[in-house]
Amino acid sequence: MADVTPSAPPPTAPVAPAPAMAPMDPRVTVAAAPPPPAAPAPELAPAPLSASVSPPARAAANDDSSSSEAPSEPSKKRTSVWSRFTTGSVYAAEVSRRRTEAAGLLALWSAAVTVEGLARFITADATRELLPDARPSTVVPPLLPFLGAIFEVAFGAVGLMVAVVELAFASGGVWPTVVFLAAHVPLSWFTYVVWVFVVPAYRWRLNETTPLGGPGDVVSVASTHGLIASGVVTSVAFCAALQGGQFVFGLRLLAFQAQQAVEAPPALLTVGLGYNRLRAMFWSALMVIGGGGTLAAGIILTIVLDGGRVTAPAFFSFPPHVGVFPIQSIVTGGVMIAHGLIGLVAAAVAGRAAFGRSTVALHVHTTPLVWLVLLLNFCLVQVAAIGPATAGMGPGRASTAAAVHMGLTLVASFIGPYFVVAASRDADEDSLNVRETPP
């Protein structure tokens, strides 16, 4: 047997050892590979209600970016001044909110004005001769109260229309509000003078006594003059709060409309936003004056009636004092005076640390209760107690007084506190240097 020896594997080429890696110096920082270039971001149109960039600056930015290769968006049409979303306001969101608030209050005041005008129109009796030939000198010319009632319906309805367009359709404009305010001034002053001063003045000239039903319950001529005067004093306060308040809220609506229509509206268009502290003091002082007239009427009647009530079917009627319970008039007058005095103090100290805030809060939180007292006196208890001329037949003889006085008492109770809060808000914004509306 042959000796077989296995052959050795063929020789392979020697493999060079891998070079040893030098230890990395910890002081050396290896930079990461730069990311791939990002795609250019599309050009964004400026925010329509930006508070940080003015329209001229936005226009310049758009001009500079027009040379880039990215296609620019088509330019948007300028928003009409009829829209509340106009882009010219610096504080657009807050201005829009307050514009809606002013429109709502204008609608409330205008509705009350319209209702009062309609009630006066019915009272004026358009079916009679408006310019009678044989009119006694002590009788008011029928044409005057008739025109006053027509004018009140007119500016009340126009104000209501302007406000409802704002609220219902989120649109409105400067010029319709300007026209309303321009027409309001002569018409409202005519109505105010005729119904608050002229009509009572003719009644004064009659120099008559006032029977109150019971034996010996007769108001003398002097006391009748005092009751007429007390009615005039209270009417001055109530009607100023009604018609004057409608005008003021129209001014505030105009101011916010102007702020959204142009970047820098003329000061004449924004006058409704200033003087909140003075307005608060003015309306609160009127509440004190109206309360004084109501208190005086109650005292005079209480003296005549020896503390009792008017004997049915008689009742006292010295507008807005209508009813049968003099004691209730005294209580109401005292509440009105107290509420007005608190309002004067709150307006004076609004924005002054804790005392100012607590006084404003007291004034605001008691306002609904005050209105309830006025509502019971001028609309519910006193008027309902008069009753019809014949028991069980027809509505009360002074039923229109309830409709008229409801709006009067509401606006007279709330307009003072509203501006007290506005004055407090102005003071807070001034202390933080963040006022969002012109001073």
Side-chain angles (χ1 to χ4, degrees):
M1 177 180 289
D3 186 10
V4 179
T5 304
S7 61
T12 58
V15 179
M21 297 182 64
M24 181 176 292
D25 190 344
R27 295 171 297 176
V28 178
T29 303
V30 179
E43 180 183 357
L44 297 178
L49 295 178
S50 173
S52 59
V53 183
S54 62
R58 292 198 298 267
N62 291 337
D63 292 342
D64 293 341
S65 61
S66 61
S67 59
S68 62
E69 297 180 358
S72 59
E73 294 183 358
S75 59
K76 296 182 180 180
K77 293 177 63 178
R78 174 172 177 167
T79 310
S80 169
V81 296
W82 288 81
S83 173
R84 75 172 51 198
F85 304 109
T86 305
T87 62
S89 176
V90 177
Y91 302 99
E94 180 65 15
V95 170
S96 182
R97 184 192 69 80
R98 295 191 184 184
R99 178 174 174 175
T100 303
E101 173 189 292
L105 292 172
L106 175 61
L108 175 63
W109 258 251
S110 298
V113 169
T114 306
V115 169
E116 182 184 67
L118 291 172
R120 284 175 169 175
F121 179 76
I122 296 172
T123 305
D125 189 10
T127 62
R128 62 178 174 172
E129 182 68 31
L130 297 180
L131 290 173
D133 295 331
R135 178 183 60 85
S137 60
T138 54
V139 177
V140 60
L143 181 63
L144 292 180
F146 174 79
L147 289 178
I150 286 292
F151 290 163
E152 187 168 19
V153 172
F155 65 79
V158 173
L160 185 60
M161 186 183 307
V162 170
V164 168
V165 168
E166 280 281 337
L167 294 173
F169 305 110
S171 64
V174 171
W175 286 112
T177 309
V178 169
V179 171
F180 157 67
L181 293 173
H184 185 281
V185 174
L187 298 182
S188 64
W189 272 110
F190 181 89
T191 301
Y192 188 82
V193 171
V194 167
W195 281 95
V196 174
F197 297 105
V198 175
V199 173
Y202 273 89
R203 185 178 180 184
W204 180 292
R205 295 176 63 183
L206 294 175
N207 293 324
E208 62 182 3
T209 59
T210 305
L212 296 179
D217 294 341
V218 178
V219 183
S220 64
V221 173
S223 296
T224 299
H225 286 171
L227 289 170
I228 294 173
S230 68
V232 170
V233 170
T234 306
S235 295
V236 166
F238 280 0
C239 294
L242 180 64
Q243 297 172 205
Q246 185 195 25
F247 184 78
V248 167
F249 288 117
L251 282 178
R252 290 180 69 83
L253 176 60
L254 175 63
F256 295 126
Q257 289 173 332
Q259 282 190 337
Q260 290 188 315
V262 293
E263 278 298 306
L268 183 62
L269 297 181
T270 59
V271 68
L273 302 183
Y275 312 106
N276 288 327
R277 191 183 300 273
L278 291 179
R279 287 192 172 109
M281 299 180 74
F282 173 74
W283 300 118
S284 298
L286 280 182
M287 177 62 84
V288 174
I289 293 173
T294 305
L295 179 64
I299 291 175
I300 293 173
L301 290 168
T302 300
I303 293 174
V304 172
L305 298 172
D306 293 330
R309 58 158 288 171
V310 178
T311 304
F315 64 96
F316 60 84
S317 178
F318 302 92
H321 308 306
V322 179
V324 296
F325 301 115
I327 295 297
Q328 188 173 6
S329 297
I330 292 177
V331 173
T332 303
V335 170
M336 293 171 64
I337 292 174
H339 187 61
L341 291 176
I342 295 174
L344 286 171
V345 176
V349 302
R352 297 184 182 178
F355 178 70
R357 289 192 296 271
S358 60
T359 308
V360 171
L362 173 65
H363 187 50
V364 172
H365 293 159
T366 56
T367 297
L369 297 177
V370 171
W371 180 51
L372 178 61
V373 172
L374 269 65
L375 190 69
L376 292 173
N377 180 73
F378 290 100
C379 303
L380 293 176
V381 177
Q382 296 270 34
V383 177
I386 294 174
T390 303
M393 297 184 62
R397 289 166 292 168
S399 55
T400 56
V404 172
H405 295 168
M406 193 282 294
L408 286 173
T409 56
L410 178 67
V411 300
S413 300
F414 281 88
I415 190 169
Y418 175 85
F419 282 103
V420 166
V421 172
S424 178
R425 182 176 57 202
D426 288 348
D428 292 341
E429 291 174 355
D430 287 341
S431 64
L432 298 175
N433 196 25
V434 294
R435 175 176 290 200
E436 296 173 330
T437 56

